[in-house]
Amino acid sequence: MLTTETPGALAHDLDEDFSSGPSPVATQAVSMAASASGETFLQPGSLTAAAAAAALLAACGGGSESDSGDTPNTVPQSAKPDTDEDAARFLGQAGFSASDADVSTLKSKGYSAWLDQQFSAARTTSHTDWLTTKGYGAESYKYSLSGMDATLWRKLISSPDQLRQRVVLALSEIFVVSMNGIPVAWPQFATAGYVDMLEAKCFGTFRDLLEGVTLSPAMGVYLAMRGNRKEDPKTGRQPDENYAREVMQLFTIGLNQLNADGTAKTSGGKTVDTYTMDQITALARVFTGWDFDTTNANGTDFSYMNRPMVHTASRFSTGAKQVLDVTIPESADGPTAMKTALDTLVAHPNVGPFIGRQLIQRLVASNPSPAYVQRVAAVFDNNGKGERGDMRAVIRAILLDNEARTVSTAPSGGKLREPVQRMIQWMRTVGFTSPGDLWAIGDCSNPSSRLGQSPLRSGSVFNFFRPGYVPPNSQLGTNNVTAPEFQLCNESTVAGYLNFMQSLVNGGIGDMKPDYTADLALAADAASLVQRQATLLGGVSEASLTTITTAVGTIAATNDAGKLNRVKAGWLLLLASPDYQIQK
């Protein structure tokens, strides 16, 4: 049962609340969110964060265990979705949302052809160019982040190349830079340059992507490689080890040696370290001598933030160097040493399963089966043409794998949609635009009044959530199931998300308004209305669909105001439903 109130009582609350603004409807919607598991999801002050996570978990469907049996591991190249729900589900994994037109196009073209089209889609106005055009390059903005949130929302919500935007968001949560940690002149352009770089390289090779990350001015500031200098025996100064540590731990090979399927190798019952502290110290010497490509970082010309850092030989550590077990000769200059270091890291057998599993988590499932990880890692190792790290091939393998295209009933399946993903999906679905090109949504990090998450605003290099996070005191924890997004799920974020979404559903934000034209055409028929809304979000269970339809149907639709309230109620109740929040 989806709600502890009768549908009629709930409908009455919704009818009132959409007329008068934010109030108990969001709390009621939260209550609904766990009742599919037989629990009350949120009564103010009654649940711990872990209990809230466990309640939502209990309602989760889908599967991470391979259900393929003897069936092929990937769908045929000519495969097309059989239903609108299948199409919307794929579009929710490969992008953010599914409009009626998107569903029709995908059903006509098929999965592979749609991916080909998206891989070749032109990039829209860059973040750097948009900020410049809007005047954020004026000297008064030198130490400001103004405009950065707006341009991020602009692309995430409106850019037609939604596969690229989805992958860029995923990469920004793996190769983490936070605009909150760039205390230099022109931080907005540093952040913009970084995201523009991810856009440019996300469909190329992993090796080229890693070099772009390494030499990005934003990453140089964030992880202290910019200005990193050789050792000085007189003062005792040593090269900063921050980037050397994170490029191994977070960006390439991870802490533990892995099997091809992403499971940890063991020796004597213990995991095997991938590198040692001495190897971090040795690698740090490679990453010395790099700085901004400018002679005046505090001047009025911010264009260097959109260029790779450059090397100064006099600041580069002397002598032979080491990256893992590979020696870099003393004769190698800085760029050559860095090339050898990155080549060595990318060639490590851990990279395919380590990065592949995280990309699966960001796009498809929080707890993918080892077999799924191994298949994706194999494509990372060799795209069929002898090429390693082909990102297009890896993305295609993730999205067309049988485990991605099949809805399983295993309780560990799917993924909790992160708050940002939910909002973007709904905004795209209802056609949010900004007539004034303002995109004034702002920072959504506040957990009690917004989403508890905002793009490029992570609290640390470890992202909003860790890929190995297992929710404690829950069924997931008991079964050691990874569910990273639940690290953001607590009483505050659940209520904050629903209150914020109610305000957006009710009236939009700034000059951005939802377009309910297609919904209003169906509002007289509650079943047709809710069915359409649910389909575009990727579908919900029949039980949830029936309960929400019943609640919406009790709102009188005898005039335009009543029809509009039906539309709004349908969207909010679906957005609150665990069936929706868990991407199957």
Side-chain angles (χ1 to χ4, degrees), residues 30 33-35 37 39-43 46-61 366 411 413 415-417 422 465 469-478 481-495 578 581-582:
V30 176
S35 51
S37 66
E39 299 182 44
T40 299
F41 190 76
L42 183 61
Q43 299 270 342
S46 66
L47 285 176
T48 64
L56 187 50
L57 157 71
C60 123
S366 292
K415 66 188 291 288
L416 175 64
R417 287 180 169 97
R422 290 176 234 154
F465 35 74
Y469 179 75
V470 177
N473 305 315
S474 67
Q475 292 178 355
L476 290 177
T478 300
V481 173
T482 54
E485 298 82 1
F486 275 91
Q487 201 166 353
L488 281 178
C489 185
N490 56 58
E491 286 182 331
S492 181
T493 58
V494 168
Q581 292 191 24
I582 300 297

Side-chain angles (χ1 to χ4, degrees), residues 243-472:
Y243 189 73
R245 178 184 301 104
E246 308 307 358
V247 74
M248 292 194 290
Q249 178 181 343
L250 302 178
F251 300 167
T252 54
I253 61 179
L255 291 171
N256 302 314
Q257 292 185 26
L258 302 176
N259 296 306
D261 63 3
T263 58
K265 292 182 178 180
T266 58
S267 177
K270 297 181 179 179
T271 57
V272 182
D273 292 342
T274 312
Y275 54 86
T276 66
M277 287 299 300
D278 287 343
Q279 287 175 320
I280 295 174
T281 299
L283 182 58
R285 298 179 62 238
V286 173
F287 296 118
T288 52
W290 296 92
D291 211 328
F292 296 151
D293 183 15
T294 182
T295 57
N296 185 10
N298 294 318
T300 58
D301 181 4
F302 49 81
S303 62
Y304 64 89
M305 286 299 191
N306 205 34
R307 297 192 295 268
M309 293 189 293
V310 294
H311 196 261
T312 302
S314 63
R315 297 180 176 180
F316 182 54
S317 292
T318 57
K321 299 168 186 70
Q322 197 81 10
V323 51
L324 299 179
D325 296 326
V326 174
T327 299
I328 300 174
E330 181 177 2
S331 60
D333 61 13
T336 302
M338 189 197 73
K339 179 182 183 303
T340 301
L342 298 185
D343 287 347
T344 301
L345 292 175
V346 171
H348 194 284
N350 264 28
V351 181
F354 183 71
I355 295 297
R357 187 176 193 275
Q358 290 188 70
L359 286 172
I360 294 171
Q361 287 182 311
R362 301 278 52 77
L363 301 178
V364 175
S366 292
N367 193 59
S369 71
Y372 187 8
V373 174
Q374 185 165 2
R375 293 191 292 270
V376 170
V379 173
F380 183 96
D381 292 345
N382 185 342
N383 65 354
K385 303 175 184 178
E387 300 168 350
R388 182 174 177 79
D390 177 349
M391 292 295 289
R392 291 191 185 199
V394 169
I395 294 164
R396 187 183 295 273
I398 290 170
L399 293 170
L400 298 185
D401 192 273
N402 190 64
E403 203 164 313
R405 300 277 46 84
T406 303
V407 180
S408 170
T409 56
S412 58
K415 66 188 291 288
L416 175 64
R417 287 180 169 97
E418 55 196 279
V420 160
Q421 181 189 350
R422 290 176 234 154
M423 187 183 79
I424 294 169
Q425 180 182 25
W426 178 77
M427 284 185 165
R428 278 181 172 262
T429 302
V430 297
F432 257 62
T433 59
S434 178
D437 199 26
L438 303 175
W439 304 100
I441 298 172
D443 179 3
C444 286
S445 300
N446 190 308
S448 61
S449 63
R450 290 263 175 140
L451 301 177
Q453 182 190 23
S454 207
L456 277 292
R457 283 188 179 273
S458 170
S460 78
V461 72
F462 297 104
N463 192 32
F464 304 100
F465 35 74
R466 299 296 298 123
Y469 179 75
V470 177

Side-chain angles (χ1 to χ4, degrees), residues 1-262:
M1 184 176 70
L2 195 64
T3 177
T4 55
E5 284 194 19
T6 65
L10 175 58
H12 174 75
D13 287 346
L14 289 169
D15 205 7
E16 292 294 322
D17 290 328
F18 281 124
S19 300
S20 60
S23 72
V25 63
T27 303
Q28 173 61 48
V30 176
S31 316
M32 291 177 51
S35 51
S37 66
E39 299 182 44
T40 299
F41 190 76
L42 183 61
Q43 299 270 342
S46 66
L47 285 176
T48 64
L56 187 50
L57 157 71
C60 123
S64 68
E65 307 234 351
S66 178
D67 296 323
S68 57
D70 295 327
T71 59
N73 290 326
T74 58
V75 299
Q77 287 292 307
S78 59
K80 298 178 180 180
D82 293 326
T83 66
D84 288 357
E85 287 82 359
D86 289 340
R89 179 173 173 272
F90 173 83
L91 291 166
Q93 294 171 338
F96 291 106
S97 68
S99 67
D100 293 316
D102 291 333
V103 168
S104 178
T105 298
L106 179 60
K107 290 178 71 177
S108 173
K109 288 180 174 291
Y111 299 118
S112 188
W114 185 90
L115 288 173
D116 289 338
Q117 183 183 59
Q118 284 287 304
F119 282 135
S120 61
R123 292 172 59 195
T124 52
T125 303
S126 73
H127 295 293
T128 298
D129 287 348
W130 189 88
L131 288 172
T132 304
T133 299
K134 295 299 180 182
Y136 291 111
E139 190 165 7
S140 59
Y141 292 106
K142 184 187 290 187
Y143 297 99
S144 170
L145 290 170
S146 294
M148 195 60 231
D149 291 306
T151 187
L152 289 171
W153 294 125
R154 171 183 66 93
K155 285 242 188 185
L156 290 169
I157 294 167
S158 71
S159 191
D161 57 339
Q162 64 168 319
L163 174 64
R164 179 181 288 113
Q165 299 307 316
R166 181 66 185 272
V167 171
V168 165
L169 181 63
L171 293 174
S172 76
E173 295 182 350
I174 298 172
F175 304 104
V176 175
V177 161
S178 174
M179 67 176 95
N180 300 329
I182 307 180
V184 295
W186 307 114
Q188 75 280 49
F189 284 99
T191 308
Y194 186 69
V195 184
D196 288 340
M197 179 277 300
L198 293 179
E199 276 201 16
K201 298 180 181 294
C202 66
F203 293 157
T205 67
F206 182 81
R207 171 62 180 80
D208 190 41
L209 173 63
L210 183 63
E211 184 166 329
V213 168
T214 301
L215 295 183
S216 161
M219 183 62 77
V221 174
Y222 192 60
L223 290 184
M225 194 181 110
R226 179 248 170 166
N228 195 16
R229 299 167 65 187
K230 65 184 179 182
E231 57 279 352
D232 185 344
K234 293 182 179 179
T235 64
R237 184 186 67 223
Q238 295 294 319
D240 189 288
E241 298 180 356
N242 203 4
Y243 189 73
R245 178 184 301 104
E246 308 307 358
V247 74
M248 292 194 290
Q249 178 181 343
L250 302 178
F251 300 167
T252 54
I253 61 179
L255 291 171
N256 302 314
Q257 292 185 26
L258 302 176
N259 296 306
D261 63 3

